[in-house]
Amino acid sequence: MPIKNQPTPPRFRLFNNIFLILGALFLVANFILPSILGPQIPGVPYSLFIHQVQEGEVARVQVGQNQIRFQLKTGDDQVGQVFSTTPIFDLSLPNLLEEKGVEFAAAPPPQNGWLTSLLGWVIPPLIFVGIWQFFVRRGGGGPQGMLSIGKSKAKVYVEGEAAKTTFADVAGVEEAKAELVEIVDFLKTPGRYTQIGARIPKGVLLVGPPGTGKTLLAKAVAGEAGVPFFSISGSEFVEMFVGVGSSRVRDLFEQAQKQAPCIVFIDELDAIGKSRSSSGFYGGNDEREQTLNQLLSEMDGFAVEDATVIVLAATNRPEILDPALLRPGRFDRQVLVDRPALSGREAILNIHAQKVKLGEDVDLRAIATRTPGFAGADLANLVNEAALLAARNGRQAVAQADFAEAIERVVAGLEKKSRVLNEKEKKIVAYHEVGHALVGSLMPGSGRIEKISIVSRGMAALGYTLQLPTEDRFLMDEAELRGQIATLLGGRSAEEIVFNSITTGASNDLQRATDLAEQMVTTFGMSKILGPLAYQQGARPMFLNDGMPNARRSMSEETAQAIDREVKDIVETAHQHALDTLNHNRDLLETITMQLLETEAIEGDKLHHLLSQVQAAPAL
Ligand code: ADP
Ligand code: MG
Ligand code: ZN
């Protein structure tokens, strides 16, 4: 995660100091000044004062709100001594004084009274407001270089003209950029779309691991379109007082609509957008729900004929989002912002290296090769680390050696947090994925293979093979299902052939292959031995993958064993098929894997061309 600890913005510091100064003035005026300036009058208990009055020793009394001063009589017409006492609530005092013939009057207003009372009345509320502001603002100032606008209670940022981010500042996420170019167009020329009656999308969700440039992309969209950028982070809402979250959302959209066309960016959407059914947030749950509901209603609220407000949001946990957020008219578009592959990393390094002085010997390509699994933020960090090292080593420019040292540091930090493959693992994953691709390219019904990659996608997989169906399929025949199973086993088979050993990486493949085989036998009636019987209760459609295994119908022990044997047979046949295919194309397996290791991802025509050379193994 990007580091959240930004220094307090100067404006805020000044703001705080003003309160400190006012607070000190208040103390001085109320307590310290009077005791210094006022005459030093000895104090006595009230009871003594009353006693002296009753004894007729008191000449005159001055009754103030906080103090009673009295002067004693003296025998020989001299000025008597003055004492003071603290009054108690005593309504009989005037009567007593009159009775004893004491001259009495109310005290004149104190000399510094207007200042004291002004400060006394004004400062405490101000201090309170200051403390309140402090808590509301806690939770992070916005990115620097942005200026705050709008009502103080809504933290809304508009991008300053000076710090304009554009697509040129973002690299390595070309697919995401291509999709966002369209959004820029919506913002620039909404008329072109609304004129035909097209509905401009309201919400776009940027999904990807931390540090891949989601925030950066959102700013770049605003920068490219030249529109204001309102930003708020989901995690801030969680810290707020009850009711503040939803009113802030309302405020945010109000402001945005006034400034349209513009972009509202909600970072860390998962912090408010957590599925409402999933419980488990102590206390804050109600508040978060209110905020989420407000967000949903705001998104439904702004109508098509209104000026264009596009809501961009970012999350690295799309799976926990409330489904209501992903409905059409809300965040119905999702853009994957993935970790960059080799060439992407080089491009990102290029961007960040421009901010530092590079030595002659620096080879960014070589650095990119050595940093698989790094996200954009890691690369930015790497460049900075290298620059720091260079400065510490007393160099005038950053040298390749500094980068080498910096990589070791950053990797050490990253390995704790996320998956960075070592060389050996990278090789295994490469053979594994090419195994899937080779087998898959021959199998009926497995779709066209569009991309193989050893850059881990999201959090789950180490590498991936992307198959796109060539058409919508509603029915699959037995051969196609067997082909799918063989494709799933292709990865593990390649590992077996090349390394003569098996890793834990194929477990998900095996799970899916076995599930498919079991369904063939128990649900689709594709086994010759067991016949066209459904052995499962109320089977759901196979593609409705809700992860719940169907319960088996009650059956005899023999039938259960027969099912198990059939499932095993199907999986093993497919496994053998995959092994045969890979052995038959052993050279191609090597060639493609070497290429994949070099570029980390192969796709499109290049991949199609390579895979067109795969030959079917002769049937035994
Ligand atoms: P995210 O929002 O996905 O967690 P950020 O956009 O906050 O990531 O990225 C943090 C910083 O890392 C950016 O400000 C930028 O300096 C750098 N960065 C991240 N991704 C990229 C990228 N694709 N291209 C260039 N710089 C990047
Ligand atoms: Mg971010
Ligand atoms: Zn696999």
Side-chain angles (χ1 to χ4, degrees):
M1 296 284 279
I3 296 159
K4 273 285 169 64
N5 248 338
Q6 281 135 345
T8 320
R11 185 175 49 83
F12 183 29
R13 244 181 274 145
L14 177 69
F15 185 69
N16 251 2
N17 283 347
I18 285 174
F19 281 103
L20 274 180
I21 294 165
L22 287 179
L25 267 178
F26 172 65
L27 283 176
V28 167
N30 256 336
F31 303 108
I32 301 171
L33 272 185
S35 59
I36 295 174
L37 297 180
Q40 297 296 302
I41 302 168
V44 298
Y46 190 73
S47 54
L48 178 64
F49 160 64
I50 293 296
H51 178 77
Q52 285 175 323
V53 170
Q54 277 165 348
E55 295 296 306
E57 294 169 11
V58 177
R60 53 184 68 86
V61 175
Q62 206 176 64
V63 184
Q65 230 178 29
N66 301 316
Q67 200 183 45
I68 294 176
R69 292 183 190 178
F70 61 96
Q71 193 175 27
L72 297 182
K73 288 180 184 159
T74 44
D76 36 320
D77 238 34
Q78 275 181 349
V79 181
Q81 233 189 317
V82 176
F83 293 94
S84 72
T85 185
T86 311
I88 61 171
F89 187 69
D90 181 1
L91 285 175
S92 62
L93 182 63
N95 286 337
L96 177 68
L97 294 175
E98 210 175 284
E99 195 181 300
K100 296 285 169 193
V102 180
E103 176 191 336
F104 69 98
Q111 267 158 9
N112 54 355
W114 67 269
L115 183 63
T116 310
S117 61
L118 178 75
L119 291 176
W121 284 103
V122 172
I123 303 295
L126 280 182
I127 290 175
F128 178 75
V129 168
I131 292 169
W132 179 74
Q133 288 269 357
F134 173 77
F135 279 107
V136 168
R137 273 156 197 265
R138 209 184 48 148
Q144 272 170 331
M146 313 189 119
L147 75 137
S148 164
I149 65 152
K151 297 177 198 163
S152 59
K153 70 176 189 240
K155 202 185 69 201
V156 169
Y157 292 97
V158 139
E159 179 131 33
E161 284 300 312
K164 200 168 177 183
T165 310
T166 66
F167 281 145
D169 299 315
V170 195
V173 284
E174 300 310 320
E175 288 162 49
K177 250 159 102 174
E179 289 195 54
L180 291 172
V181 164
E182 205 187 352
I183 304 294
V184 172
D185 208 39
F186 288 148
L187 287 164
K188 266 185 171 163
T189 53
R192 194 154 96 206
Y193 300 88
T194 49
Q195 180 199 345
I196 316 178
R199 184 178 62 83
I200 291 177
K202 285 180 188 170
V204 180
L205 186 60
L206 304 172
V207 179
T212 46
K214 298 180 291 297
T215 308
L216 193 65
L217 271 170
K219 282 189 208 163
V221 170
E224 290 282 335
V227 299
F229 179 77
F230 295 80
S231 150
I232 199 152
S233 170
S235 61
E236 285 164 28
F237 287 112
V238 179
E239 299 182 2
M240 281 190 216
F241 305 127
V242 177
V244 175
S246 50
S247 80
R248 234 194 219 192
V249 169
R250 203 176 316 123
D251 223 55
L252 179 64
F253 279 84
E254 227 168 68
Q255 296 281 347
Q257 233 146 18
K258 278 182 209 147
Q259 302 250 345
C262 68
I263 284 183
V264 171
F265 178 60
I266 305 174
D267 210 350
E268 301 175 61
L269 181 66
D270 41 282
I272 31 171
K274 239 180 266 173
S275 175
R276 277 171 292 191
S277 59
S278 76
S279 60
F281 216 85
Y282 56 91
N285 226 359
D286 266 358
E287 169 63 3
R288 194 176 52 67
E289 255 175 46
Q290 273 182 24
T291 309
L292 174 58
N293 288 338
Q294 187 66 37
L295 177 64
L296 291 175
S297 76
E298 289 293 342
M299 288 197 73
D300 291 342
F302 59 81
V304 190
E305 71 268 14
D306 289 353
T308 326
V309 177
I310 293 186
V311 186
L312 295 181
T315 181
N316 47 29
R317 302 162 74 197
E319 69 283 351
I320 66 163
L321 289 183
D322 197 299
L325 273 172
L326 307 178
R327 229 171 267 156
R330 292 163 183 171
F331 293 103
D332 48 358
R333 285 207 182 187
Q334 299 194 16
V335 174
L336 181 69
V337 187
D338 221 341
R339 289 207 181 91
L342 178 61
S343 57
R345 291 201 300 272
E346 190 182 352
I348 295 174
L349 282 170
N350 236 320
I351 290 176
H352 291 282
Q354 273 162 25
K355 293 168 203 156
V356 301
K357 257 193 219 152
L358 284 191
E360 299 273 289
D361 68 332
V362 172
D363 180 355
L364 292 181
R365 177 81 181 180
I367 297 164
T369 312
R370 290 190 48 199
T371 49
F374 276 44
D378 305 323
L379 293 168
N381 182 20
L382 173 70
V383 173
N384 192 49
E385 281 286 332
L388 288 175
L389 284 169
R392 188 175 314 153
N393 295 338
R395 272 194 262 274
Q396 296 301 312
V398 188
Q400 187 77 357
D402 298 318
F403 274 105
E405 199 180 334
I407 288 173
E408 274 164 36
R409 289 187 175 201
V410 178
V411 166
L414 277 181
E415 266 168 359
K416 288 183 212 128
K417 286 190 298 191
S418 65
R419 297 160 192 270
V420 174
L421 301 180
N422 65 30
E423 283 305 308
K424 175 96 195 291
E425 287 170 330
K426 225 170 119 176
K427 235 169 135 177
I428 295 173
V429 173
Y431 277 109
H432 179 106
E433 298 304 332
V434 175
H436 282 309
L438 283 187
V439 176
S441 69
L442 281 185
M443 294 301 149
S446 63
R448 212 169 142 98
I449 305 209
E450 286 299 331
K451 183 173 182 179
I452 43 181
S453 166
I454 55 171
V455 181
S456 86
R457 181 177 201 134
M459 315 276 145
L462 296 175
Y464 61 97
T465 302
L466 185 67
Q467 282 182 344
L468 292 185
T470 42
E471 58 197 327
D472 276 354
R473 297 300 305 269
F474 301 104
L475 292 173
M476 290 194 121
D477 63 25
E478 190 186 332
E480 288 171 333
L481 287 172
R482 285 181 185 270
Q484 280 204 344
I485 297 173
T487 307
L488 283 168
L489 293 167
R492 174 199 157 105
S493 305
E495 289 184 42
E496 281 173 66
I497 291 173
V498 177
F499 300 101
N500 208 0
S501 72
I502 299 156
T503 63
T504 52
S507 63
N508 180 41
D509 296 339
L510 299 188
Q511 183 75 45
R512 282 167 60 200
T514 314
D515 285 352
L516 262 184
E518 184 170 341
Q519 281 181 316
M520 284 176 67
V521 177
T522 62
T523 310
F524 308 136
M526 286 177 177
S527 157
K528 287 187 189 70
I529 296 166
L530 288 151
L533 275 86
Y535 291 95
Q536 273 172 336
Q537 303 269 19
R540 280 182 286 266
M542 67 179 286
F543 302 109
L544 188 66
N545 191 3
D546 54 6
M548 305 251 256
N550 286 323
R552 278 195 188 171
R553 215 177 273 283
S554 60
M555 60 182 79
S556 69
E557 185 70 14
E558 290 85 65
T559 312
Q561 280 177 3
I563 290 175
D564 291 344
R565 261 198 310 278
E566 273 292 277
V567 170
K568 190 157 178 256
D569 188 61
I570 291 175
V571 174
E572 277 183 349
T573 309
H575 184 203
Q576 194 54 50
H577 193 68
L579 285 173
D580 290 346
T581 306
L582 292 175
N583 274 320
H584 191 68
N585 295 281
R586 188 67 221 280
D587 290 346
L588 198 57
L589 175 61
E590 285 301 325
T591 319
I592 302 181
T593 305
M594 286 310 129
Q595 285 201 25
L596 181 58
L597 278 170
E598 205 166 293
T599 57
E600 294 180 6
I602 310 178
E603 60 190 314
D605 289 341
K606 196 173 163 204
L607 182 63
H608 297 153
H609 175 70
L610 287 167
L611 291 178
S612 68
Q613 301 167 42
V614 184
Q615 287 169 0
L620 295 175

